[in-house]
Amino acid sequence: MRIAIAGAGNVGRSIAQELIDNGHQVMLIERQPRMLRPDRVPAADWVLADACELASLEEANVAGCDVVVAATGDDKVNLVVSLLAKTEFAVPRVVARVNRAENEWLFTEQWGVDVAVSKPRVMAALVEEAVTVGDLVRLMTFRQGEANLVEITLPPTAPYVGQPIHAVPIPRDAALVAILRGKRVLVPSPDDPIEAGDELIFVCTAEVEDDVRTVILGPDSVERTRNNR
């Protein structure tokens, strides 16, 4: 893919290097000359320009990109870049960095954002995922809340422990996409049993999260979670 990244700070450069290592063509757009450091990511195309200016994005041929990543440290800039990328250049996929948690509500489809990545939320989710057993933890949101990546670590008391996946009545609009067991990542198949301590990774809509929790952890799990909160 051809990917444009607005913001060549530590975050932007790290994303660029990761994507280049995965075989993608990356362009870094930076407006501050002192931040232009091609030696840090030599395989990227570096552009000195203001990504909030329409003419700069036209000159950089953003319309030819498959993805735009708004990765600056300024939420206002990231919103403007996202809106221009989507509305003026019809970029298929726009990913935006959220720096301040209180601004997260702004990063929606109306501003051209397909995926908003909030550092505080991601860090909180990773902490919860590391220490929580017997509850559903939301790891990431896709398509502006239409679908979430969630994780449940199975306690020994979970109702379907020891039973094959095909026996688990997984709700509609939910899919079990992976099982983490120790150091192994398992692709679920119908005859695989689930075990206590397994981390089950689902993609599901927000509306069925409680249904997933009820099926996997038992009928009293939703009420128990609400009481704990």
Side-chain angles (χ1 to χ4, degrees), residues 114-176:
D114 293 308
V115 178
V117 182
S118 169
K119 292 190 295 181
R121 172 171 288 191
V122 170
M123 290 181 70
L126 290 174
V127 170
E128 285 190 285
E129 187 272 335
V131 301
T132 302
V133 176
D135 197 8
L136 181 147
V137 177
R138 185 181 295 175
L139 300 177
M140 187 173 291
T141 297
F142 303 107
R143 300 299 301 176
Q144 301 312 312
E146 294 176 17
N148 298 316
L149 185 71
V150 303
E151 181 267 354
I152 298 175
T153 300
L154 287 181
T157 55
Y160 291 97
V161 166
Q163 297 193 41
I165 291 171
H166 68 74
V168 182
I170 296 173
R172 184 179 180 180
D173 294 328
L176 177 62

Side-chain angles (χ1 to χ4, degrees), residues 11 24 41-42 59 89 180 184 190 204:
V11 172
H24 302 295
V41 191
E59 189 173 341
F89 300 99
L180 309 184
R184 300 177 62 199
C204 64

Side-chain angles (χ1 to χ4, degrees), residues 1-7 11-12 15-16 19 27 29 51 62 65-87 90-99 104 106-109 111-119 122 140-144:
M1 293 187 296
R2 187 168 186 265
I3 302 166
I5 300 174
V11 172
I15 296 170
L19 291 169
M27 172 175 57
I29 304 173
V62 167
C65 291
D66 302 290
V67 182
V68 164
V69 181
T72 78
D74 187 325
D75 285 343
K76 296 188 294 295
V77 171
N78 291 342
L79 285 170
V80 171
V81 171
S82 299
L83 185 64
L84 290 176
K86 184 64 71 175
T87 60
V91 175
R93 190 75 162 170
V94 177
V95 179
R97 171 188 177 187
V98 184
N99 295 279
E104 190 172 351
L106 288 165
F107 286 73
T108 65
E109 204 169 46
W111 277 94
V113 179
D114 293 308
V115 178
V117 182
S118 169
K119 292 190 295 181
V122 170
M140 187 173 291
T141 297
F142 303 107
R143 300 299 301 176
Q144 301 312 312

Side-chain angles (χ1 to χ4, degrees), residues 150-154 176-180 194-195 197-202 216:
V150 303
E151 181 267 354
I152 298 175
T153 300
L154 287 181
L176 177 62
V177 295
I179 299 174
L180 309 184
I194 57 177
E195 301 176 0
D198 282 354
E199 295 182 51
L200 307 185
I201 309 297
F202 291 88
I216 301 301

